[in-house]
């Protein structure tokens, strides 16, 4: 951001939580792109969203007040923390509309602030037109386990979800829960519950397009596919990439690591080896150097693709495990000594 969050919200540093909310509400309505056609409105709208995201959170605000923006975004050493203050670096998620929806509620919350004649409606903090502020539930996170080959080539994974949707007789309110379906099959027939709600199970297939080069920890977000309720916005469903162990390769950033077993003779005299790559090619790699304990062989461009540009790839780094003989005869020791003194 590179500015002062208090200045962005047009408040002073003694502002209360209510003052922060009031300032954000006023400025968010003023600079919302749907209402303001100025070319710089969205930038300002994003700026005040980031400011509110920090100042409305007590831990982020405490870190910012004491250590400034640099300390907030880079993190602070744990020995400088106060009462267990948050010490991880902060990064704004870059979605000001999400902040706006979370604050005001609704799929199209901006529409709630206008009467039919187009005039603004004054709304207090107690709720929207007496209905209460709709808040978004916390994201539902699930691990997505992928083979190294999937992350190398890219692929499409399909996940089946089932969501229970309930409807009150004569109303438009809905509520429900989200869960993953593995073996069980749920009927979509409606039934009447004791509380007067009819409920049904609706299945949906989510397609996840895995890009070549994605790393472990990559998050794939499906907005508002989770729980529903009359006073809440459906939760986002978040899949977090987890890489499965591979029998031959391990991964470091964009590089692939391969460990090759050799005996002492080859380590001292040289050899050639064959390695099958993740895309099925067979690499013939000569090693003419003496393989000492810290020796590695680097094959450029044979690692993982980079997700930003799959044409660029990391390196294949070969490490060696030298197998020493368990015992030697006297004659063998004598010959080795003679050879090493030449």
């Amino acid at each position: 951001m590179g500015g002062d969050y208090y200045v962005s919200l047009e408040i002073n540093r003694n502002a209360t939580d209510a003052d922060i909310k009031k300032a954000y509400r006023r400025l968010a309505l003023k600079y919302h792109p749907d209402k303001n056609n100025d070319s710089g409105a969205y930038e300002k709208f994003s700026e005040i969203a980031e400011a509110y995201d920090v100042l409305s959170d007590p831990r982020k605000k405490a870190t910012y007040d004491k250590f400034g923006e640099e300390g907030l975004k880079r993190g602070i050493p744990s020995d400088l923390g106060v009462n267990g203050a948050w010490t991880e670096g902060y990064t704004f998620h870059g979605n000001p509309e999400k902040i706006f929806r979370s604050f005001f509620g609704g799929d199209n919350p901006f529409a709630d602030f206008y009467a039919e004649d187009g005039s603004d409606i004054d709304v207090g903090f107690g709720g929207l037109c007496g209905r209460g502020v709709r808040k978004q539930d916390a994201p539902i996170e699930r691990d997505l386990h992928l083979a190294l080959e999937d992350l190398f080539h890219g692929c499409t994974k399909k996940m089946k979800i089932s969501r229970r949707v309930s409807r009150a007789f004569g109303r438009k309110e809905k509520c429900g829960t989200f869960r993953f379906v593995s073996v069980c099959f749920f009927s979509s027939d409606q039934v009447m519950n004791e509380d007067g709600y009819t409920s049904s199970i609706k299945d949906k297939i989510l397609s996840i397009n895995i890009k070549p080069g994605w790393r472990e920890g990559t998050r794939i977000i499906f907005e508002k596919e989770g729980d529903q309720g009359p006073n809440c916005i459906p939760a986002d469903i978040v899949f977090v990439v987890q890489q499965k162990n591979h029998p031959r390769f391990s991964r470091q950033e964009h590089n692939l690591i391969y460990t090759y077993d050799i005996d002492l003779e080859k380590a001292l005299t040289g050899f050639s080896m064959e390695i099958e790559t993740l895309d099925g090619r067979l690499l013939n790699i000569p090693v003419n150097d003496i393989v000492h304990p810290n020796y590695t062989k680097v094959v450029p461009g044979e690692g993982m693709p980079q997700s930003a540009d799959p044409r660029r790839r990391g390196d294949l780094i070969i490490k060696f495990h030298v197998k020493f003989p368990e015992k030697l005869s006297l004659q063998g020791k004598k010959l080795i000594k003679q050879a090493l003194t030449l």
Side-chain angles (χ1 to χ4, degrees), residues 181-225:
V181 176
S182 54
V183 178
C184 298
F185 173 78
F186 296 90
S187 171
S188 60
D189 294 338
Q190 290 190 342
V191 295
M192 178 68 76
N193 301 329
E194 293 180 357
D195 58 5
Y197 281 76
T198 59
S199 62
S200 62
I201 296 295
K202 294 186 177 180
D203 294 337
K204 185 173 183 178
I205 303 296
L206 301 180
S207 294
I208 306 174
N209 295 318
I210 310 301
K211 295 183 179 179
W214 271 5
R215 304 185 193 184
E216 188 169 75
T218 299
R219 297 165 64 85
I220 307 101
I221 301 174
F222 291 87
E223 294 188 352
K224 293 185 255 186
E225 291 286 356

Side-chain angles (χ1 to χ4, degrees), residues 264-276:
L264 182 58
E265 175 194 352
K266 290 182 178 179
L268 296 175
T269 61
F271 60 100
S272 64
M273 56 183 175
E274 291 184 341
I275 297 178
E276 183 180 355

Side-chain angles (χ1 to χ4, degrees), residues 109-156:
F110 197 75
D112 287 325
F113 297 96
Y114 299 97
E116 291 183 359
D117 60 0
S119 59
D120 289 353
I121 298 176
D122 187 18
V123 186
F125 289 114
L128 298 176
C129 305
R131 294 176 297 158
V133 176
R134 298 177 68 219
K135 296 183 178 180
Q136 186 171 26
D137 291 340
I140 301 169
E141 295 193 2
R142 294 291 185 273
D143 288 340
L144 178 63
H145 295 276
L146 298 172
L148 190 58
E149 286 84 355
D150 293 334
L151 297 171
F152 181 88
H153 295 286
C155 62
T156 298

Side-chain angles (χ1 to χ4, degrees), residues 43-61:
E43 182 177 352
K44 181 65 176 179
F45 182 63
S46 182
E47 177 183 327
I48 61 177
E50 180 178 344
Y52 176 77
D53 189 44
V54 172
L55 298 183
S56 63
D57 185 302
R59 291 187 299 172
K60 296 175 188 174
K61 182 177 182 295

